[in-house]
Amino acid sequence: MADSPRRLYSADPKAGYLAAKVEIEAAIARVLESGTYIHGRELAAFETEFAAFLGAGGCAGVANGTDAIELALRALGIGPGDRVATVANTVTATVAAIVATGAEPVYVEIESDTMLMSPAALAEALRADGARRIRAVVPVHLYGQACDMPAIVELARAHGAKVLEDCAQAHGATVAGRVAGTWGDLASFSFYPTKNLGALGDGGAVVGGDATALERVRRLRQYGWRTRYVSDEHGRNSRLDELQAAILRARLPRLAAENASRGQLAARYAALLAGAPLQLPVVAPGRTHVWHQFVVRTPRRDALRATLEEQGIFCGVLYPVPVYRQPGYAAEVGRPQTERACAEVLSLPLHPGIAPADVERVAAAVRSALHA
Ligand SMILES: *Cc1c(COP(=O)(O)O)cnc(C)c1O
């Protein structure tokens, strides 16, 4: 019997581990021997190194990307009674974090081509906010491409609103020559295992140049403590532990090269799928995409996905249901471009464990499924 072809997935966290196995195992051994497992040298060093990688003023590690959004918003003074503008074609976590602060989400329509927050729609939402309750904007740099930050920051500033960038899918992306995560008042990152920079467990960080707000994140992540055993305010436990910090340090030196190899695979997909009856990813001028996902669009998404699965090719759908249509966050909102994107998007396998030959196999399978 012939071997069935290797199964391909839209993410493969083990491939990320194997790529840096020696460094990761040395990092883990170092932590185990150190005797310090929470808030020690590894966290401090990772915070310095990650801020330097981004060119950000500072970094505070937290337990995950959802907490990073919530604690950053709280540190910027967002809470009950406030409204926070974001998009609905994001992971539920973005909105869960906004709601956890006590604020209310406002869903801004996306651009039809990039599928990122539309500055025109944001302008409209801010114009309609006569009472100035929108006190923060959370653009989501989805799939690895940064939003139109020059426009979004200008609109938010004019409205007196803070900007928190959700960078969970955009480690190292740039727009207008500046790194995503250095435009807003603060930015949040996730190190969930499948992200471009992934831990082997949960992890997250808040970065930014607002030293006062960052200091507040450091208090909020540990019971509100200003110094040990003395809380200045109501905080909680959201710590990035030493093992995860050390693993992230082991992986960080490879991030730029891994982003570049994602870019090469994306270019290969684009060349092989040119002219096929589906929408290829659109990269706006002046942006460097870090290809967290390679997202194609077709109204026949579900049929295409099923056909590929029969051949051992497992694609992702980020995200199938706008947040405002999910029972836990249901709201009377209609955003046609958002809904069309959710119905059409499909993430083809692209990650450090994918080889050029895999891309060729997937592209051929896509073409044959679409009879193109
Ligand atoms: C992964 C992700 C998050 C949440 O991160 P966790 O570490 O899973 O809490 C938030 N926003 C976006 C856009 C994400 O992709």
Side-chain angles (χ1 to χ4, degrees):
M1 215 169 78
D3 285 346
S4 54
R6 190 165 76 94
R7 288 173 161 236
L8 300 175
Y9 296 91
S10 63
D12 182 0
K14 188 171 178 184
Y17 155 57
L18 293 175
K21 185 172 162 48
V22 172
E23 297 92 320
I24 287 173
E25 289 177 359
I28 290 172
R30 189 171 73 231
V31 173
L32 296 182
E33 285 303 318
S34 77
T36 301
Y37 306 116
I38 294 282
H39 281 190
R41 274 193 215 159
E42 300 291 339
L43 176 65
F46 173 69
E47 289 177 340
T48 303
E49 290 160 11
F50 192 55
F53 172 82
L54 298 169
C59 170
V62 297
N64 55 66
T66 312
D67 283 3
I69 299 168
E70 181 198 336
L71 298 185
L73 287 173
R74 284 180 59 189
L76 292 171
I78 304 305
D82 296 334
R83 304 181 84 197
V84 176
T86 189
V87 291
N89 64 329
T90 181
V91 67
T92 315
T94 310
V95 176
I98 291 169
V99 170
T101 68
E104 187 191 320
V106 174
Y107 298 101
V108 174
E109 182 61 295
I110 58 172
E111 297 171 327
S112 60
D113 53 359
T114 64
M115 295 183 274
L116 301 170
M117 178 182 277
S118 156
L122 175 63
E124 186 62 44
L126 295 174
R127 243 192 321 273
D129 180 41
R132 304 223 159 210
R133 284 181 60 209
I134 297 180
R135 293 199 48 237
V137 180
V138 179
V140 179
H141 303 317
L142 203 65
Y143 307 142
Q145 178 168 210
C147 300
D148 183 349
M149 291 312 292
I152 290 170
V153 167
E154 189 181 326
L155 288 165
R157 296 265 182 274
H159 197 74
K162 301 285 188 184
V163 176
L164 167 68
E165 302 173 70
D166 182 346
C167 298
Q169 301 191 7
H171 312 69
T174 71
V175 46
R178 200 159 139 191
V179 180
T182 64
W183 288 87
D185 294 280
L186 290 175
S188 58
F189 284 84
S190 165
F191 307 119
Y192 184 82
T194 59
K195 308 293 189 189
N196 285 35
L197 178 61
L200 299 178
D202 275 313
V206 179
V207 309
D210 183 337
T212 309
L214 217 50
E215 218 28 65
R216 191 158 177 213
V217 170
R218 287 178 206 281
R219 293 198 299 272
L220 293 171
R221 75 182 177 185
Q222 185 154 256
Y223 327 128
W225 279 356
R226 174 174 36 88
T227 54
R228 193 164 266 266
Y229 308 130
V230 183
S231 289
D232 271 9
E233 61 180 315
H234 171 64
R236 56 192 177 75
N237 176 353
S238 180
R239 294 181 294 232
L240 179 62
D241 67 60
E242 289 288 281
L243 277 172
Q244 299 306 336
I247 290 164
L248 290 166
R249 290 185 70 199
R251 296 198 62 185
L252 181 59
R254 290 172 187 271
L255 177 57
E258 286 183 351
N259 282 346
S261 79
R262 285 172 185 267
Q264 281 156 13
L265 295 171
R268 192 84 194 107
Y269 267 130
L272 293 167
L273 291 171
L278 84 186
Q279 173 69 59
L280 291 170
V282 173
V283 183
R287 305 197 204 168
T288 48
H289 198 306
V290 294
W291 302 103
H292 175 60
Q293 304 282 312
F294 187 88
V295 177
V296 297
R297 294 179 67 168
T298 163
R300 293 147 68 196
R301 189 262 315 279
D302 294 337
L304 175 60
R305 186 186 199 188
T307 305
L308 294 174
E309 281 189 9
E310 285 163 15
Q311 298 166 59
I313 299 166
F314 296 86
C315 296
V317 172
L318 277 65
Y319 293 93
V321 184
V323 179
Y324 59 75
R325 288 208 184 280
Q326 299 172 27
Y329 295 90
E332 297 261 332
V333 176
R335 297 284 176 263
Q337 297 297 346
T338 300
E339 296 187 20
R340 200 162 68 81
C342 291
E344 295 183 353
V345 292
L346 188 69
S347 297
L348 303 184
L350 190 162
H351 51 74
I354 290 287
D358 296 325
V359 169
E360 271 152 42
R361 181 180 141 209
V362 174
V366 168
R367 278 190 172 275
S368 126
L370 296 171
H371 310 293

